[in-house]
Amino acid sequence: MIQFLQPIALYAAAGIIVPIMVHLWNVKQGKVLKVGSIALLQQSDRQQARSFKLKDLLLLFLRCLLLLLLAVLLAKPQYKKEGRLADKGWILIPPTGIKQAYSQHKPFIDSLIKTGYQFRYFEPEFKESTIPDALKNVEAGATQTNYWRLIEQLNMQLPAEVPVYLFTDNLLRNFSGNRPSVSLTLKWETYTLTDTPQTYISDAYLTPDGGARVAIASSNSRGTSVVIKDVSPGNATPNLAFVNTAMPVIKYKNDFGKDSLIKLDTALMHVAIFTDGIAKDAQYLVAALDAIQGFINYNLKVLVVKDETTLPRNMEWLFWLSDKPLPANVKAKHILIYKTGKEQQLSSYFNLNNQFNNEGKD
């Protein structure tokens, strides 16, 4: 069955009157034949021709057909398969969400099935099944699916008069692209996914002593927590161990017992501090960076520079402790400079034991 998404565009087919009028306007008039003498011609009654013949009918037909095809294309025709007459309607649920959808909407789904609705999987081809069979063959895990793409496929396959009840989760990752324009009789219900904690490696890097520091994150509905673990080549943990390869790699065993190889970050972070007379601030900054490096145990190289011509080229961080403007040829991924303006004294506070104590002024 052919349906049009923009049926109003079919009015453009009235444009065929234009080539017809042009064709009629270009009908050639009769020719006058000049003769030398009319003495031998018999006199007859004058008659005026009141009919004419159309020429180039094939050209006229092609022009009209072109305009008709253009109007049909603008109306966006779509072919839909005829639904079976026995279909009262469809119930669509993703294969991985059968349990959640049925447990949260059981009375409603059962009432639809009793009235003649068919259950089908919300996936390509929309395979028909039954709720009992679907509950026995539940697919584990959450898969990422583009719901808008499936809605477009459903609109191509199902006639508009067949009602559809769709049950899905409300995860944003399953909606990508623009919302399609469809002619379905669609009612959309959502269900809440059960809390399934996930554990994964959020960061892993090589430490200065040749070991590895690994950040293991655990996420659930209440939030995300991170546990830091240090691993050395001769000291493996139950789920972390070094692998003897050319590149520093550790083997991680997740909660499901599956091993995966994690490549360690071996980059050396270069931090440069430029000072041309404010040595005290540079000392404070070096002490702070040393404390950070001792806490995170990261490969960090701090360099204090007094001559801007000796600044390294590849800098991750640059602290410009100078009143001079930053030269245009000095580049770094992150640059911190003094804020221009008049110096001000501000009070600094520390929160100790939920109490605010004034420890002094800067």
Side-chain angles (χ1 to χ4, degrees), residues 167-219:
F167 298 85
T168 67
D169 56 61
N170 55 359
L171 296 180
L172 185 61
R173 66 184 184 185
N174 292 323
F175 297 88
S176 59
N178 297 324
R179 185 176 63 178
S181 176
V182 297
S183 58
L184 294 168
T185 306
L186 177 63
K187 295 184 179 180
W188 202 321
E189 302 287 342
T190 60
Y191 55 83
T192 304
L193 293 175
T194 56
D195 187 13
T196 55
Q198 295 183 353
T199 303
Y200 55 93
I201 300 294
S202 62
D203 197 8
Y205 53 86
L206 196 66
T207 55
D209 58 359
R213 173 157 290 190
V214 182
I216 304 176
S218 299
S219 298

Side-chain angles (χ1 to χ4, degrees), residues 289-356:
L289 293 174
D290 288 341
I292 294 174
Q293 197 276 338
F295 179 75
I296 64 176
N297 201 14
Y298 195 84
N299 283 322
L300 189 67
K301 183 178 181 180
V302 181
L303 180 64
V304 180
V305 180
K306 296 183 180 180
D307 185 3
E308 60 187 62
T309 60
T310 61
L311 283 171
R313 293 184 178 181
N314 299 323
M315 293 180 290
E316 190 78 17
W317 289 86
L318 171 61
F319 294 88
W320 187 260
L321 306 183
S322 175
D323 293 331
K324 296 191 304 184
L326 182 70
N329 60 344
V330 176
K331 305 293 182 181
K333 290 185 178 179
H334 309 281
I335 301 177
L336 283 85
I337 61 177
Y338 280 131
K339 184 178 180 180
T340 58
K342 187 177 179 180
E343 220 176 282
Q344 298 180 0
Q345 290 187 353
L346 300 175
S347 298
S348 299
Y349 298 91
F350 293 93
N351 186 1
L352 302 175
N353 298 326
N354 296 326
Q355 295 180 358
F356 288 97

Side-chain angles (χ1 to χ4, degrees), residues 33 42-43 67 86 89 120-121 213 218 228 234 310 342 349:
L33 182 61
Q42 295 181 355
Q43 187 176 1
L67 290 175
R120 292 176 180 265
Y121 289 109
R213 173 157 290 190
S218 299
I228 305 297
T310 61
K342 187 177 179 180
Y349 298 91

Side-chain angles (χ1 to χ4, degrees), residues 212-229:
R213 173 157 290 190
V214 182
I216 304 176
S218 299
S219 298
N220 52 36
S221 59
R222 293 173 295 179
T224 301
S225 60
V226 179
V227 177
I228 305 297
K229 291 189 177 182

Side-chain angles (χ1 to χ4, degrees), residues 147-162:
Y147 288 163
W148 292 146
R149 184 71 58 83
L150 290 177
I151 290 295
E152 289 180 344
Q153 296 178 10
L154 183 65
N155 185 62
M156 295 288 293
Q157 181 172 342
L158 196 64
E161 61 271 12
V162 178

Side-chain angles (χ1 to χ4, degrees), residues 27-33:
V27 173
K28 295 182 180 180
Q29 301 294 329
K31 295 182 179 180
V32 177
L33 182 61

